[in-house]
Amino acid sequence: MPAATRPNLPPRQLSTTSGDYCSSNTPEIRKYLGTYGLTPPAVESFEVQSQRCLRLLAMKTTPIEKFQYLVHLKATNVHLFYRVLGENIKELTPLIYTPTVGEACVRWHEIWTQPEGMYLSWSDRGHLRQILDNWPHDVDITVLTDGSRILGLGDLGVNGMGIPVGKLALYTACAGIRPDGTLPLCLDLGTSNKALREDPLYMGSRTPKVTAEQEKEFLDELMAALTDKWPSIVIQFEDFKNPFPAIERYQNNYTMFNDDVQGTGAVIVGGFINAIKASGVPVKDHKAIFLGAGSAGVGVAKQIVEFFKKEGLTEEEARRKFWFVDSNGLVTQDRGDKLAEHKVYFARDDNNGRQYQSLGRLIDYVQPTILMGLSTIGGAFTKDILQKMAKLNDRPIVFPLSNPSSKSECTFEEAVINTEGRCLFASGSPFPAMEWDGKLLTPGQGNNMYVFPGIGLGAIISKAVSVTQDMIYASAESLSTSLNKQEVADGWLYPDIRRIREVSVVVTRGVIRAAQKNGVDRAIELRELSDAQLDSYIKERMYDPYNERENIGDEVNQLIATASGMNGHANGVNGISAGVAHL
Ligand SMILES: NC(=O)C1=CN([C@@H]2O[C@H](COP(=O)(O)OP(=O)(O)OC[C@H]3O[C@@H](n4cnc5c(N)ncnc54)[C@H](OP(=O)(O)O)[C@@H]3O)[C@@H](O)[C@H]2O)C=CC1
Ligand SMILES: CC(=O)C(=O)O
Ligand SMILES: [Mg+2]
């Protein structure tokens, strides 16, 4: 074939995203693609490319610059991005997700360079189904937000797009959901953030947030449009200021869940089950104070109620183990204000006229074994609070879960020092390990990425018609059993994040089994598989960035085979195959 031109084949649309310009392409592939001469001559291995990426990353001095480089890498070579991410998941997750994604969202309008995902505006209603036709791929899963409660950072309008983009990257990295099967979706329904509305660089509608009734009308149209376009789509809601109406309205009619309420509940229960075991205190003797009674706090407590019930408590006994504090103090039935509906279930009626004075006084009164933070108030677990918990308990359970790190109720170091290294700890954002009394202590991270990828993949593979409470709970239980012997021996609450692909298989299997038990699965042939067979089935369906060649396909394999007189199948053993496999 001529050196620099495509053989007798039709012109081909080149795509940077799928690696058409990748330096690992062999000369044959470059000729086939028509990129011969358009890339530097060297044919590089993945290791070399990865080394360059990591060096480039190290040259960036701030987390936001590193974030921007990773956005660029994903846009220019998606498979390389997922290889680098997969091999450095522990180091890179804080850059593509919390905490850095928080800063990226705050500054989204300043740092935006290229489109990712879809935006649907209030003014688009009536046409949502048509607009979805503009999306170029088939979709397995979407993460959608209205930007109204981005981490603990408040209403950021369409700047919130960073969250669906980041979460979907984790669906791919952790559970192998194909990148082109994911749709980040940001609803542009106005924003209550006046500063953003007035910022000349803001990229959303400059109108106040629509009413709850209008949002419901919009979501009704959107849910119908999404499932009409992609009948098996899994729809994950994220970072809504008030997520409860949508969960209630759609959970039985669509394959949907809300990760802040249900995923957070599951991931915290997953670590909590191990914390309860490690505390040495029987389940019946635990008592919990929650600082923050929002969607995440109540979501976590509801899943813990399920766990307590499975451990033999009645629902009433389980419910009464919780004391919630919100911005108006202890959540009680006789407080004098109208409680938001989601708080009523846990509102206390045994306050005996006592007024809430402070978190410290409440700890003295309740004597809790567990202190959870989902309040968005950074530093709320002061030295005094932590020392009180340490005085009351041999192994106090302290979970400061607010994100990003600046909103965490305390740091790992503060918790360790003020409980003399005895706390059972998990946070929302990552903290470094530290030495205490000659021992290296590693903080747990109650990171939803342990469960949502498996919930999503389980729903996709089982073709579930809805995501049931049992599926969510199964993800928590599966997570709690996924620690290996060493992790258990070291007293960890969560498995090593570097094993996330293995963990996601266990979680996915649990979710599929629960879907089968509930009869919501449509892939009924999977019911016959043993657990080992189901694990293999799941693994086979996971996207593997090391084995990507669909961009080239059989056409080039055939061509290479003919040109080289060899069997040029991409998984073969010659130099050509290495190039194809590393597209
Ligand atoms: N796994 C994880 O790491 C996850 C962490 N989160 C984090 O949890 C936090 C809360 O999320 P979410 O529940 O959805 O948010 P919400 O806004 O729904 O809830 C925040 C809660 O904190 C309460 N609060 C605010 N100020 C105070 C105060 N001074 N004292 C006591 N309580 C206060 C609010 O009170 P009021 O109700 O009166 O307004 C509300 O109940 C966020 O930072 C989020 O990032 C969320 C999901 C997963
Ligand atoms: C982790 C997450 O979902 C949140 O903080 O909102
Ligand atoms: Mg969230």
Side-chain angles (χ1 to χ4, degrees):
M1 91 182 72
T5 55
R6 291 194 82 208
N8 286 333
L9 288 167
R12 189 173 184 287
Q13 190 73 38
L14 291 173
S15 144
T16 47
T17 324
S18 50
D20 283 351
Y21 296 93
C22 184
S23 60
S24 62
N25 292 347
T26 59
E28 286 80 2
I29 291 171
R30 295 175 194 198
K31 284 170 196 167
Y32 170 78
L33 294 171
T35 58
Y36 193 95
L38 303 186
T39 47
V43 177
E44 293 187 318
S45 68
F46 160 62
E47 287 69 27
V48 171
Q49 295 174 74
S50 171
Q51 221 178 59
R52 184 180 298 110
C53 293
L54 294 176
R55 275 198 205 173
L56 276 165
L57 203 57
M59 280 180 215
K60 314 286 174 195
T61 49
T62 61
I64 203 73
E65 284 169 344
K66 291 177 198 279
F67 174 91
Q68 285 177 295
Y69 169 68
L70 291 168
V71 168
H72 167 78
L73 178 60
K74 176 140 70 78
T76 50
N77 194 335
V78 70
H79 305 312
L80 182 59
F81 169 80
Y82 281 111
R83 288 174 204 146
V84 174
L85 177 56
E87 291 194 0
N88 302 278
I89 191 92
K90 190 172 159 66
E91 296 75 19
L92 299 193
T93 300
L95 294 173
I96 62 160
Y97 192 49
T98 186
T100 308
V101 75
E103 187 187 351
C105 287
V106 169
R107 299 177 55 191
W108 191 257
H109 57 304
E110 296 166 352
I111 65 171
W112 185 89
T113 50
Q114 62 224 332
E116 287 180 286
M118 280 194 102
Y119 298 85
L120 295 169
S121 298
W122 173 242
S123 57
D124 294 328
R125 66 197 188 286
H127 309 285
L128 300 185
R129 174 63 187 82
Q130 281 158 275
I131 297 170
L132 292 181
D133 281 338
N134 287 343
W135 188 250
H137 307 288
D138 270 340
V139 174
D140 295 317
I141 188 161
T142 182
V143 172
L144 70 93
T145 185
D146 68 351
S148 58
R149 193 286 278 146
I150 293 299
L151 306 178
L153 301 165
D155 186 342
L156 297 181
V158 299
N159 279 25
M161 179 55 116
I163 295 292
V165 168
K167 273 211 143 135
L168 284 164
L170 293 178
Y171 272 103
T172 298
C174 304
I177 294 178
R178 290 201 57 77
D180 57 7
T182 67
L183 169 61
L185 194 46
C186 191
L187 310 185
D188 172 35
L189 304 180
T191 174
S192 59
N193 189 325
K194 192 161 171 287
L196 271 183
R197 285 201 311 257
E198 290 171 1
D199 192 310
L201 295 187
Y202 181 60
M203 300 173 87
S205 304
R206 293 162 190 282
T207 48
K209 180 78 198 285
V210 300
T211 64
E213 191 53 37
Q214 287 171 322
E215 178 150 15
K216 183 174 88 178
E217 185 192 317
F218 189 91
L219 285 173
D220 279 355
E221 181 183 338
L222 177 63
M223 297 300 278
L226 284 168
T227 35
D228 181 66
K229 171 85 179 152
W230 298 292
S232 301
I233 190 171
V234 177
I235 303 167
Q236 193 231 282
F237 279 60
E238 185 71 29
D239 286 5
F240 279 69
K241 177 67 193 153
N242 181 7
F244 295 104
I247 298 176
E248 210 164 284
R249 197 167 170 79
Y250 305 124
Q251 69 181 348
N252 295 325
N253 311 326
Y254 294 97
T255 313
M256 71 80 71
F257 71 104
N258 177 297
D259 189 54
D260 295 301
V261 181
Q262 296 162 289
T264 308
V267 81
I268 299 312
V269 167
F272 183 78
I273 292 174
N274 294 325
I276 292 281
K277 280 186 206 152
S279 74
V281 176
V283 164
K284 65 175 180 39
D285 296 335
H286 279 282
K287 285 182 275 184
I289 290 182
F290 275 58
L291 188 71
S295 43
V298 169
V300 169
K302 285 250 167 98
Q303 297 293 337
I304 295 179
V305 166
E306 291 304 311
F307 166 65
F308 282 164
K309 278 164 52 187
K310 283 185 201 291
E311 292 294 305
L313 269 58
T314 65
E315 178 164 352
E316 185 55 14
E317 286 166 343
R319 187 178 68 87
R320 295 187 68 78
K321 292 199 164 293
F322 297 85
W323 281 258
F324 273 91
V325 177
D326 66 10
S327 62
N328 292 317
L330 182 64
V331 177
T332 67
Q333 289 179 3
D334 59 356
R335 196 166 73 171
D337 59 342
K338 182 166 168 22
L339 291 180
E341 221 174 286
H342 67 272
K343 296 179 187 174
V344 173
Y345 179 83
F346 288 109
R348 305 291 310 188
D349 59 2
D350 55 351
N351 200 31
N352 300 329
R354 281 185 201 85
Q355 292 298 309
Y356 173 83
Q357 288 170 337
S358 67
L359 182 59
R361 294 294 288 271
L362 186 67
I363 290 176
D364 292 340
Y365 168 60
V366 173
Q367 310 220 328
T369 52
I370 301 157
L371 182 62
M372 294 270 176
L374 293 129
S375 64
T376 75
I377 306 298
F381 296 168
T382 58
K383 180 176 167 181
D384 180 48
I385 297 288
L386 292 165
Q387 288 180 351
K388 277 180 193 288
M389 289 300 291
K391 215 168 182 181
L392 287 167
N393 302 283
D394 284 344
R395 307 289 321 262
I397 298 176
V398 179
F399 282 19
L401 293 168
S402 289
N403 292 323
S405 317
S406 60
K407 304 288 177 184
S408 188
E409 284 78 3
C410 66
T411 63
F412 182 51
E413 193 177 4
E414 288 161 349
V416 169
I417 291 172
N418 291 303
T419 63
E420 296 140 354
R422 289 183 282 120
C423 62
L424 294 158
F425 178 96
S427 55
S429 295
F431 287 109
M434 65 175 281
E435 268 208 21
W436 179 262
D437 210 10
K439 264 179 76 180
L440 184 70
L441 301 183
T442 306
Q445 194 190 348
N447 190 325
N448 296 29
M449 72 190 267
Y450 282 115
V451 292
F452 67 73
I455 297 173
L457 186 62
I460 291 169
I461 288 184
S462 65
K463 300 198 173 78
V465 289
S466 59
V467 179
T468 62
Q469 164 56 26
D470 284 343
M471 290 162 72
I472 300 289
Y473 193 79
S475 73
E477 255 180 348
S478 306
L479 171 61
S480 76
T481 63
S482 69
L483 283 78
N484 63 26
K485 278 193 186 136
Q486 190 58 51
E487 290 158 354
V488 174
D490 290 345
W492 290 17
L493 303 183
Y494 292 97
D496 190 333
I497 205 76
R498 283 170 289 214
R499 295 198 302 107
I500 189 67
R501 296 273 286 211
E502 283 169 53
V503 172
S504 289
V505 173
V506 177
V507 172
T508 302
R509 185 200 333 130
V511 170
I512 294 174
R513 290 296 188 217
Q516 293 170 344
K517 193 177 100 194
N518 292 160
V520 295
D521 57 323
R522 282 174 285 189
I524 54 172
E525 66 283 4
L526 303 186
R527 292 178 189 176
E528 309 304 322
L529 302 185
S530 67
D531 281 354
Q533 286 170 326
L534 187 53
D535 283 358
S536 306
Y537 185 89
I538 293 165
K539 285 180 201 156
E540 275 163 26
R541 266 141 203 87
M542 287 167 91
Y543 159 78
D544 176 1
Y546 296 90
N547 194 23
E548 274 309 311
R549 59 186 187 86
E550 98 276 43
N551 184 45
I552 297 296
D554 289 342
E555 195 184 2
V556 77
N557 283 320
Q558 194 53 48
L559 181 81
I560 292 167
T562 315
S564 61
M566 290 184 279
N567 176 359
H569 197 270
N571 286 333
V573 288
N574 50 49
I576 294 165
S577 70
V580 178
H582 288 146
L583 266 175

